[in-house]
Amino acid sequence: MSRLVLVKELRERDRRRMLKHFLDLEDSDRLLRFGTVLPDEQVSNYVNRIDFSRDMVFGVYNRFFKLVAVGHLAFAPRDEKNSVTEKERVAEFGVSVSKTARGLGVGSKLFERAAISCRNNDVDTLYMHCLSSNKTMMHIAKKAGMEIHRDYGEADAYLKLPPANPASVLQEALDEQFAVLDYTYKANKRIASKWLGRLFGKK
Ligand SMILES: CC(C)(COP(=O)(O)OP(=O)(O)OC[C@H]1O[C@@H](n2cnc3c(N)ncnc32)[C@H](O)[C@@H]1OP(=O)(O)O)[C@@H](O)C(=O)NCCC(=O)NCCS
């Protein structure tokens, strides 16, 4: 059954929740996400260093207003030796979905959003780096049509993207708008339930 997955761009105010999401990942998932079992302190450094003015970060909130997935789209200047693109920048995507939210299309949806954001930001090459044992991610990469190169247990994949067009711009704007509405509704519901809890003396 395909579910509605709303992907919202994350900002500075989401940093604390992002950190919680990453710290909740168990060692095997940290290995898959970061290529090494990153200790808590380094996870915290990573989150603190995310530059929201340069990169884009996407998230999915569940119905209990918990951040259950984070996708980091990092932009970097093109390496002079890069023969795959002539654009000024390339992008790399890293993603993680909490165990409780897996298998529902969240990872794929975050990837789709990253791809459309690349197009709309004049980037035509999207990279992903993962362990080649990561069957789920390899499946998502193949499904998206990524070109995959395997080397010593690691896999580098990249996807060539078409240029932006009015439909891609509209789609990203609409997706974000729906996600913001959903976020606002959940945030207000959370505030109302806390307020009612206090009013009726519940903890
Ligand atoms: C990889 C990850 C992001 C996937 O998230 P997800 O929300 O479960 O992914 P989706 O539900 O969108 O898609 C999973 C797809 O993989 C398939 N899949 C699941 N397990 C699989 C396996 N062992 N082998 C092959 N395919 C598999 C599912 O059938 C599904 O395919 P479909 O969309 O064609 O039906 C998530 O498992 C995760 O966070 N893993 C730890 C961190 C990580 O590996 N990050 C990627 C490195 S950057």
Side-chain angles (χ1 to χ4, degrees):
M1 187 184 74
S2 83
R3 300 190 189 203
L4 182 65
V5 177
L6 296 169
V7 174
K8 183 179 168 300
E9 192 173 347
L10 302 182
R11 310 268 178 195
E12 188 61 53
R13 66 174 176 191
D14 299 294
R15 223 186 266 273
R16 195 178 47 83
R17 291 200 184 104
M18 285 165 56
L19 178 61
K20 178 155 179 19
H21 166 77
F22 287 120
L23 290 178
D24 283 349
L25 292 178
E26 52 192 55
D27 284 359
S28 53
D29 290 335
R30 287 192 199 187
L31 173 68
L32 295 174
R33 172 60 181 84
F34 299 107
T36 168
V37 184
L38 219 55
D40 288 0
E41 197 190 332
Q42 285 182 38
V43 170
S44 172
N45 289 341
Y46 159 71
V47 173
N48 286 332
R49 285 205 197 111
I50 291 177
D51 181 351
F52 290 95
S53 62
R54 185 197 61 195
D55 297 345
M56 297 181 91
V57 186
F58 305 108
V60 173
Y61 281 88
N62 72 4
R63 61 199 172 99
F64 304 112
F65 198 43
K66 182 174 181 222
L67 185 63
V68 291
V70 177
H72 181 179
L73 183 63
F75 292 104
R78 172 176 65 103
D79 180 344
E80 282 308 308
K81 286 182 235 141
N82 190 329
S83 55
V84 176
T85 181
E86 293 189 342
K87 298 282 182 194
E88 277 176 22
R89 295 185 303 162
V90 295
E92 183 173 343
F93 190 57
V95 60
S96 51
V97 176
S98 304
K99 272 225 153 79
T100 52
R102 289 192 190 156
L104 303 172
V106 174
S108 307
K109 195 76 190 177
L110 279 162
F111 184 83
E112 279 169 30
R113 177 63 181 273
I116 206 159
S117 293
C118 282
R119 291 179 63 188
N120 293 338
N121 283 282
D122 198 31
V123 167
D124 70 357
T125 316
L126 173 58
Y127 286 95
M128 220 167 50
H129 184 78
C130 60
L131 298 176
S132 38
S133 57
N134 193 342
K135 298 258 170 24
T136 314
M137 207 58 227
M138 297 304 277
H139 175 82
I140 292 175
K142 275 190 212 143
K143 199 170 66 171
M146 291 186 106
E147 176 116 1
I148 301 170
H149 301 276
R150 289 187 177 84
D151 209 2
Y152 300 110
E154 304 208 342
D156 272 312
Y158 72 88
L159 182 65
K160 290 300 288 178
L161 296 159
N165 62 21
S168 69
V169 174
L170 185 65
Q171 189 187 332
E172 187 175 16
L174 285 177
D175 284 355
E176 181 63 18
Q177 203 54 50
F178 283 128
V180 168
L181 283 173
D182 176 68
Y183 176 92
T184 311
Y185 168 73
K186 285 170 181 162
N188 286 338
K189 204 169 130 198
R190 161 73 61 90
I191 293 167
S193 96
K194 273 195 184 158
W195 188 79
L196 285 173
R198 272 197 215 120
L199 196 67
F200 295 108
K202 282 189 207 154
K203 292 217 170 148

